[in-house]
Amino acid sequence: MRIGVDVGGTNTDAVIIHEGRVIAALKTPTTDDVGTGVVLAIRGVLAQAGVPPAAVTQVTIGTTHFTNAFVERRRLMEVAVLRLSLPSNTSVRPMIDWPSDLTAVIGDHIYWAHGGYEFDGREIAPFDAAEIEAAARDIRRKGLRHVAISCAFSPINDAMEQRAAAILRDMIPGLHVTLSSEVGRMGIIERENAAIMNAALSSMSGTVVGAFRSALQKLSISAPFYISQNDGTIMAADHVERFPVLTFASGLTNSMRGAAWLSGQQDAIVVDIGGTTTDVGVLSHGYPRETSMAIDVGGVRTNFRMPDLHSIGLGGGSLVTRQADGSVTVGPRSVGYDLITKGMVFGGDILTATDIAVAAGRGGIGDRSAVNGLDRALVAQAVDTIHAMVEAAIDRMKTSATAVPVILVGGGGVLVSRPLSGVSDLHVPEHADVANAIGAAMAQVGGEADRIHFYDRVGREAALDNAKQEAVAAATAAGADPATVRVMEVEETPVAYMPGNAVRVRAKAVGDLAAIIAA
């Protein structure tokens, strides 16, 4: 008996899934107090299904709170940044290209130390404990409680990051420390950025996760609960308290996983239309295709696991406007969660995309008579614009001109009312409007291996086998049942500037949660 909850900017969605079937689904407005919205959503689906709290075996929650906090510069902590790389990597200082309004919040507390590794694991310089101790004394003097530690090529060897963290924690009890090797990939600048972002959010993460725990206690639910992360898998709640940055983009990945589960499609494009935006991503083997590019979050480049997605300003609350030249635009401005009071079909006086959909005969939403008087030409133009926007977004995510299957999910799915160009099959599964919560409920446990291998030394097959074994071991360590773990993908990227036929190998494995198997 699984409960999935997705806390969005407009709605909080909840579902109960039992024996592979959705037995209850509910949408409630998201509240300023995140815990209250979760309580209302879960209480509602429990009542709808007639299920006692004791019957629940797992709760998984997806949230955009950490992403929103970083983008909006809210509730962020000052961070001390320690980089182990001297005498190299001095030309680009930490946070060099960050927006000024963000660095004003994070602070300018930069510390350098000797150390780091070359691409093949050789030391750039020996670790100097005295330098770390000096940095710790200054951090303690400033009263800072959050530190991000980065080290050149730490994904290959994290020993120096671990040693530095041990010294800092010993000298400053209760210090929150984030290691770049734990949150990012190759590329010290982007990996360091991810570590700083994580450290800045680490205080808020305890508050948010605590609110979720309190909400479940109020509902008398004692089942373990998990939080979904960027790649479509889940992690334990206490892990989120340490690594909140890994939840960025989890909303779309939940929708994509839910779309795959509802439709049975493993390879397709997913179009998730919400209240403000439309997010488009690609399913590959049932999981979101991850981007190989650096991702910009709130003006900061990062390289942690993120889905390859494209977002446009089209949603159910998007404003519809006739321009001076007679054309009709839809979005990007939106009434957002005020749709239920400002949209015409809800008694308001603002023309939105939802009003257009109702006027065009789509869905029994609100009071249809409120839009009967709309100019039919305006409605037709707006419908054309909406479909053209969706088609362009799909086309951008395709790798060829070939028509592809598309799964349409999200509460704003009613905006699409006819076949789409470039789409071979358009799937709108049952419960598509709560696909995000379903994706959270059905998420699996994942593990990843990402390191450089030298094929001239170990051979290609041996290197690939090692990467797969590491990924499987990581998934098992994260709580996956070993009998269900499978390798989803293996990616090889030759590194031209390195000798020894160096290749970066990334492997990903997923499996079902062992606790659920046991239950």
Side-chain angles (χ1 to χ4, degrees):
M1 192 76 69
R2 304 184 181 193
I3 289 181
V5 181
D6 188 89
V7 184
T10 303
N11 291 307
T12 295
D13 300 341
V15 299
I16 298 180
I17 295 179
H18 179 55
E19 296 182 346
R21 186 171 58 89
V22 179
I23 62 173
L26 183 72
K27 277 183 178 288
T28 61
T30 295
T31 59
D32 289 335
D33 170 15
V34 60
T36 299
V38 171
V39 168
L40 292 174
I42 295 180
R43 183 176 290 153
V45 289
L46 287 173
Q48 187 183 122
V51 172
V56 177
T57 55
Q58 175 189 346
V59 178
T60 306
I61 300 175
T63 179
T64 60
H65 274 68
F66 302 118
T67 313
N68 295 342
F70 194 81
V71 171
E72 298 170 14
R73 284 47 166 158
R74 293 185 295 106
R75 300 171 64 184
L76 302 180
M77 306 303 296
E78 284 192 82
V79 177
V81 182
L82 172 63
R83 183 190 289 181
L84 301 160
S85 65
L86 292 179
S88 68
N89 293 323
T90 59
S91 59
V92 180
R93 70 191 302 273
M95 299 187 290
I96 190 170
D97 62 344
W98 284 40
S100 58
D101 63 332
L102 187 54
T103 54
V105 177
I106 302 298
D108 186 24
H109 312 290
I110 310 297
Y111 301 88
W112 302 79
H114 285 79
Y117 301 92
E118 301 287 359
F119 61 86
D120 59 358
R122 290 179 291 124
E123 290 186 357
I124 293 175
F127 182 85
D128 189 338
E131 290 179 332
I132 309 302
E133 291 169 357
R137 286 190 290 270
D138 195 58
I139 292 169
R140 185 172 57 195
R141 178 185 63 81
K142 291 180 178 179
L144 301 174
R145 308 300 302 167
H146 302 81
V147 177
I149 302 175
S150 63
C151 173
F153 280 103
S154 58
I156 292 177
N157 187 344
D158 67 350
M160 289 192 186
E161 286 190 352
Q162 296 285 357
R163 290 176 65 185
I167 292 173
L168 289 170
R169 290 189 177 111
D170 183 60
M171 295 183 64
I172 312 174
L175 188 70
H176 296 273
V177 180
T178 297
L179 306 184
S180 74
S181 57
E182 295 178 319
V183 296
R185 295 172 171 173
M186 298 293 183
I188 188 170
I189 301 301
E190 291 82 6
R191 185 175 71 251
E192 181 179 69
N193 287 347
I196 298 169
M197 295 165 70
N198 190 78
L201 289 164
S202 56
S203 180
M204 177 190 176
S205 65
T207 302
V208 172
V209 174
F212 290 156
R213 285 198 180 100
S214 177
L216 296 180
Q217 288 172 358
K218 289 179 181 178
L219 294 163
S220 300
I221 294 177
S222 58
F225 90 94
Y226 303 85
I227 294 179
S228 53
Q229 57 181 330
N230 306 334
D231 62 356
T233 60
I234 58 175
M235 53 185 169
D238 56 356
H239 197 67
V240 177
E241 290 185 273
R242 292 183 57 211
F243 304 113
V245 76
L246 297 182
T247 69
F248 283 15
S250 62
L252 176 61
T253 56
N254 282 342
S255 293
M256 296 181 70
R257 287 287 296 143
W261 188 81
L262 287 170
S263 67
Q265 298 288 315
Q266 298 296 297
D267 298 280
I269 288 180
V270 176
V271 177
D272 181 11
I273 305 179
T276 303
T277 62
T278 292
D279 299 316
V280 184
V282 179
L283 276 176
S284 177
H285 306 295
Y287 277 83
R289 182 178 72 192
E290 292 184 18
T291 181
S292 59
M293 307 293 290
I295 291 293
D296 184 294
V297 179
V300 178
R301 285 167 56 88
T302 67
N303 65 355
F304 48 76
R305 298 190 301 270
M306 290 284 278
D308 185 9
L309 61 91
H310 176 54
S311 299
I312 59 174
L314 170 67
S318 295
L319 279 75
V320 178
T321 309
R322 173 167 275 165
Q323 304 299 318
D325 62 0
S327 64
V328 174
T329 59
V330 182
R333 294 178 56 204
S334 170
V335 296
Y337 58 78
D338 288 329
L339 174 63
I340 58 175
T341 58
K342 293 184 177 180
M344 293 180 65
V345 295
F346 297 108
D349 57 0
I350 296 178
L351 181 60
T352 68
T354 296
D355 299 319
I356 293 296
V358 174
R362 287 284 291 174
I365 303 171
D367 179 11
R368 193 184 191 288
S369 65
V371 292
N372 284 340
L374 287 178
D375 178 28
R376 304 315 298 173
L378 170 66
V379 173
Q381 283 181 276
V383 169
D384 289 342
T385 299
I386 290 170
H387 286 78
M389 292 173 70
V390 175
E391 289 168 349
I394 293 171
D395 194 54
R396 177 164 176 164
M397 297 304 293
K398 293 166 62 175
T399 56
S400 72
T402 305
V404 296
V406 168
I407 310 168
L408 182 64
V409 297
V414 295
L415 302 186
V416 176
S417 57
R418 66 191 188 204
L420 297 168
S421 175
V423 174
S424 58
D425 298 291
L426 181 63
H427 302 271
V428 186
E430 186 181 8
H431 302 299
D433 60 328
V434 290
N436 46 10
I438 291 171
M442 300 306 296
Q444 295 176 298
V445 182
E448 185 181 76
D450 184 4
R451 65 176 62 246
I452 294 175
H453 296 262
F454 298 91
Y455 284 2
D456 285 356
R457 300 179 189 174
V458 299
R460 178 174 180 270
E461 293 304 319
L464 295 181
D465 286 342
N466 287 338
K468 293 175 184 177
Q469 290 172 15
E470 285 184 32
V472 169
T476 303
D481 175 44
T484 67
V485 176
R486 66 191 188 283
V487 177
M488 295 295 297
E489 59 180 307
V490 178
E491 179 183 286
E492 299 174 87
T493 306
V495 186
Y497 56 84
M498 294 184 181
N501 195 11
V503 179
R504 178 182 175 184
V505 180
R506 186 177 68 86
K508 178 179 178 180
V510 298
D512 294 329
L513 188 66
I516 296 301
I517 295 294

